Amino acid sequence: MLLDWYDAHARDLPWRVPPDRSRAGERADPYRVWLSEIMLQQTTVAAVRPYFERFTTRWPAVDDLAGAADEDVMAAWAGLGYYARARNLLKCARAVVQDHDDRFPDSEAALLGLPGIGPYTAAAIASIAFGRRAVVVDGNVERVMARFGAVETPLPAAKPELKALAAKFTPDDRPGDHAQALMDLGATVCTPKSPACGACPVQSGCKARAAGLAADLPRKSPKARKPERVGIAYVLRDPQGRIYLERRAEKGLLGGMLGFPTGDWSDNLADDSPPVRARWRDSKLTVRHVFTHFALTLHIHVADAAPEGLNGQWLAPGAARGALPTVMRKVLDAVEPPREPEAPHTAG
Ligand code: SF4
C-alpha cells in the first residue's frame, strides 16, 4: 500500500533513484545518499537542493571531495549552518578513500565507524544505497509512527517505542524505497500541523485517525527556553573599503569558518575587548541569531583602519559574502547592505 503510493507520488529529489528505476534494480549512489543525508540534518530540502547540486557538480565522487582543500569546502558550505557537519564531511570522505578504497562500506556497523555518521545516517545509506533492511527513523518517520500507532508518550522519551514500531513495518523487499516513502509521507501528507488523512495511503490502519488524535500527536515534552548570550563583532575597514576577516579555530561553534573577530559570547559584554588597537566606535547596530543551544545578540563595533600585524584576510564585501556563515553574513549585511542588482537597460 505504502510502496504503491510511493511509486505514484515519490518526490523528485536529485540524490534519488526514482521508483520505476529502483524497481528495476537500480540503486542510488552511496556518495550522493550520504551527502544529501548530512546536508539534510536540521535543514530543509529546499535549502539543501542548491548546495547539493553545487557540491556534486564540483566534487562528483567521494575521492574528488576527499582531495578538496578544506577552505574550499567550508566556503561552499557557508550559509547551510551546523558547520561541524562540513568538517566531518571532509574527514569522512578522506576516511572512505584511505580506509575503504574509495567505496562506502555497505553495512550499518561499518558505516557507523565513519566520522559524522550516526545511527540514522548509517541506516539511511545502508537501506537506500545498498538495499539492506535497516530501520530509518527521522523526525518525519517519528511523527508518522506516533500517529499510526497512537503513541501518546511524549518525545523524546517515545523514541525507542517509535523505532520499534518502525522496525515492525520495515519490509525485506525494497527497504530503501520503504524508508523514503515514509519520509515522503511525513513531509507531504502526514505533516506536522494539518495531516491530510483523506489522502493518506495508510489511513485505514491509523489509530490516531480513528481516535481523532492525528493533529495532537506526537506529544512533546515542554522545551527549555534557550539561554541568551551577547557579544561584539569587530568590523575593520581599510581605505579600499575591504573588510577584515579571520578564520575561526577548528574546534567549537563555526569552527574553521571565516568571520569577523569577536570576543567570547557570554551573558554580558563586560569582558569583551577589541582584537587590535584602533579607533573603535559602537555602530549601534545589532544582529540576532539563534543557534541550537542558545540565542545570540551581536553588537557591531566598527573602525576604519588597517593596523599592522593581523593574520587574517582583507576581502571586498561582495567577495566575502558568499563565504561567510549566516550569523557573520548578517553582520556584514548590517554594515554593508547588499547592493540591489541593477535594472537592465531598456533599448530606445
Ligand atoms: Fe498521518 Fe493521517 Fe495518515 Fe494517520 S491517516 S498516518 S495521521 S496522514
Side-chain angles (χ1 to χ4, degrees):
M1 189 85 82
L2 182 62
L3 281 172
D4 290 343
W5 174 84
Y6 180 71
D7 290 344
H9 298 281
R11 285 179 294 172
D12 180 16
L13 299 173
W15 44 87
R16 265 195 189 166
V17 165
D20 53 335
R21 291 190 357 230
S22 144
R23 284 203 309 274
E26 186 177 334
R27 295 252 167 81
D29 176 352
Y31 170 65
R32 293 170 75 85
V33 176
W34 162 73
L35 183 61
S36 67
E37 290 298 346
I38 302 293
M39 288 183 165
L40 285 164
Q41 288 165 11
Q42 320 277 341
T43 313
T44 63
V45 166
V48 163
R49 207 184 267 268
Y51 281 86
F52 181 84
E53 303 279 14
R54 279 200 295 276
F55 265 68
T56 49
T57 302
R58 191 163 174 190
W59 300 297
V62 68
D63 54 323
D64 300 315
L65 185 61
D70 290 28
E71 56 271 23
D72 288 347
V73 174
M74 298 311 283
W77 194 276
L80 204 50
Y82 301 96
Y83 296 94
R85 293 184 297 171
R87 296 195 294 278
N88 279 329
L89 197 75
L90 268 172
K91 281 191 202 143
C92 183
R94 289 169 184 161
V96 168
V97 167
Q98 279 157 23
D99 306 335
H100 298 275
D101 231 0
D102 295 5
R103 297 157 86 95
F104 278 87
D106 65 359
S107 73
E108 271 182 277
L111 286 161
L112 272 171
L114 290 167
I117 295 192
Y120 164 76
T121 310
I125 300 171
S127 107
I128 297 169
F130 296 111
R132 300 265 187 175
R133 188 186 174 282
V135 185
V136 186
V137 186
D138 66 355
N140 278 329
V141 177
E142 279 179 349
R143 182 170 60 257
V144 175
M145 286 300 134
R147 289 174 176 169
F148 190 78
V151 174
E152 299 228 30
T153 314
L155 281 167
K159 278 176 181 285
E161 199 177 338
L162 298 176
K163 186 158 187 183
L165 204 54
K168 218 167 104 184
F169 291 109
T170 304
D172 292 324
D173 181 36
R174 298 175 65 195
D177 281 353
H178 171 84
Q180 294 175 105
L182 272 182
M183 292 174 194
D184 283 12
L185 188 70
T188 62
V189 176
C190 195
T191 52
K193 292 218 168 82
S194 41
C197 299
C200 178
V202 299
Q203 57 180 285
S204 60
C206 178
K207 292 188 180 161
R209 175 171 160 81
L213 280 174
D216 300 330
L217 298 180
R219 303 212 189 278
K220 292 189 181 153
S221 302
K223 276 194 189 153
R225 244 179 84 83
K226 289 193 185 193
E228 292 284 337
R229 293 195 198 165
V230 288
I232 297 176
Y234 294 95
V235 179
L236 272 175
R237 280 183 291 216
D238 75 1
Q240 289 84 49
R242 297 178 307 172
I243 50 166
Y244 175 73
L245 299 170
E246 290 178 344
R247 197 163 290 284
R248 297 176 65 86
E250 276 295 314
K251 289 238 164 357
L253 204 65
L254 309 180
M257 299 301 293
L258 278 180
F260 295 99
T262 68
D264 287 337
W265 301 336
S266 63
D267 57 5
N268 67 72
L269 294 177
D271 297 332
D272 221 304
S273 59
V276 290
R277 283 170 68 93
R279 205 182 285 263
W280 291 102
R281 61 181 191 280
D282 183 350
S283 70
K284 307 289 183 203
L285 296 166
T286 59
V287 298
R288 189 172 161 76
H289 191 75
V290 180
F291 292 100
T292 315
H293 298 299
F294 65 94
L296 173 69
T297 301
L298 275 180
H299 297 256
I300 303 174
H301 289 200
V302 294
D304 293 309
E308 303 273 305
L310 294 172
N311 297 320
Q313 308 177 23
W314 291 92
L315 291 174
R321 192 163 267 112
L324 292 174
T326 304
V327 61
M328 295 296 172
R329 198 178 304 168
K330 288 180 184 175
V331 173
L332 177 58
D333 289 349
V335 293
E336 294 273 352
R339 292 211 189 116
E340 297 287 329
E342 281 181 30
H345 292 289
T346 35

